[in-house]
Structure formats: C-alpha cells, structure tokens
Amino acid sequence: MSNLEQTLSIIKPDAVERNLQEEIKKNFIENNFIIKKEKKIQISKSEAEDFYKVHQSKPFYNELCNYLSSGPIIVMILEKESAVKENRKLMGATDPTKAEEGTLRKKYGISIDKNSVHGSDSIENAKIEIEFFFKF
Ligand code: CMP
C-alpha cells in the first residue's frame, strides 16, 4: 500500500551562509525524495516565534528564533513514502555531535543551534509547517 507523505524541510541560515544548499538538496534527491516546492526566504523574528511556538517554554526559545530569522533559509516540501520518518533518519540527531555518520547534521551541522536542517517531527506537524510556509 502506498504511504506517500509530504514533510517540511528547512535548510537553516548556517548552511545557506556556507552555500551548502545544492549539496544538501543532492542528499535528498539521492535518497529518493522529490522536492515538490522550494523557496529561499528570510523570515522575521515574530514569524520564527510563530513557527517554533511549540518550543516557547524552552530555555533556548529566544536564541532559536533569533537564529532562524538571522539570514536566508531554503524551505522545501519533500515527498516520499514515509517522508516524515525518512527525513528524520536522513537528518540524524538534533545535536550534530550525537548524530550518526552519514546523516546531514553529522556532515554539515556545527552545533545544536546551527544544525543545518529542520524537518517536521510528525505527520500532523508536517501539515501545519507546510501550510505555514506555502499558504500563498
Ligand atoms: P529543530 O529540528 O529545528 O527544532 C528545534 C530546534 O531547537 C532544534 O532543531 C535545535 O536546532 C534547537 N535547539 C537548541 N537547543 C536545543 C536543545 N537543548 N534541545 C533541542 N533543540 C535545541
């Protein structure tokens, strides 16, 4: 049975700043993700606060929102069978020092904040996050 899903991926400011977007996109394509839509944008602090509102009680929330709004990002809709889970596997652990060899965060991440990529953590959040960035 087909289990085609979509998930939201963000190439974060640290990776765009180092011009890694094409290389990171190549990883998605080689792992059989289809990039359905993509755009390069820079969001405001308040948009970042809205996007990351699930983390608003966390001590790192303010830093996180400053960071995501600090420079251009690439937002993408990725499609694949079990896309949410498969993207999380490809990204690796949130903290690059704990991420497995071969994962995006291991290869490109600098720190837990500058971990190069974001991916939706559930099918429900994927829908919310896709709507957030591609509503118009
Ligand atoms: P991301 O998948 O974009 O979702 C929330 C982000 O918060 C996470 O990646 C990290 O970059 C960032 N972050 C910063 N500090 C922490 C922390 N202590 N635990 C989890 N995430 C953190």
Side-chain angles (χ1 to χ4, degrees):
M1 206 176 71
S2 167
N3 187 29
L4 203 58
E5 285 173 12
Q6 293 188 338
T7 190
L8 184 92
S9 171
I10 304 178
I11 304 180
K12 295 189 182 184
D14 66 276
V16 177
E17 192 176 81
R18 286 175 289 152
N19 210 19
L20 289 169
Q21 57 269 38
E22 290 309 316
E23 195 174 326
I24 292 176
K25 277 160 56 183
K26 209 168 128 215
N27 283 269
F28 290 124
I29 292 159
E30 283 172 357
N31 283 276
N32 302 315
F33 287 90
I34 293 167
I35 301 172
K36 297 290 281 186
K37 284 190 186 168
E38 72 171 280
K39 59 183 177 184
K40 185 177 185 180
I41 52 171
Q42 181 160 0
I43 59 171
S44 65
K45 171 106 187 250
S46 70
E47 286 169 325
E49 286 169 347
D50 196 12
F51 177 73
Y52 273 136
K53 61 179 181 282
V54 290
H55 295 298
Q56 62 192 350
S57 62
K58 310 269 174 64
F60 54 84
Y61 179 62
N62 188 46
E63 278 290 296
L64 178 61
C65 297
N66 281 335
Y67 171 60
L68 195 71
S69 56
S70 69
I73 57 175
I74 314 287
V75 291
M76 293 172 289
I77 300 176
L78 301 180
E79 190 173 271
K80 187 184 174 172
E81 300 270 313
S82 305
V84 172
K85 195 177 75 198
E86 289 292 303
N87 184 35
R88 293 185 68 75
K89 202 163 79 187
L90 180 59
M91 289 192 301
T94 307
D95 181 348
T97 65
K98 296 185 180 130
E100 271 182 55
E101 282 304 327
T103 62
L104 300 180
R105 284 162 168 170
K106 178 73 177 186
K107 287 202 270 192
Y108 308 116
I110 297 168
S111 64
I112 196 161
D113 303 295
K114 298 183 173 181
N115 61 358
S116 300
V117 283
H118 166 84
S120 311
D121 65 1
S122 66
I123 295 173
E124 191 192 359
N125 282 336
K127 291 198 178 104
I128 294 168
E129 294 182 356
I130 287 169
E131 170 86 9
F132 183 89
F133 281 112
F134 291 96
K135 59 193 162 208
F136 28 76

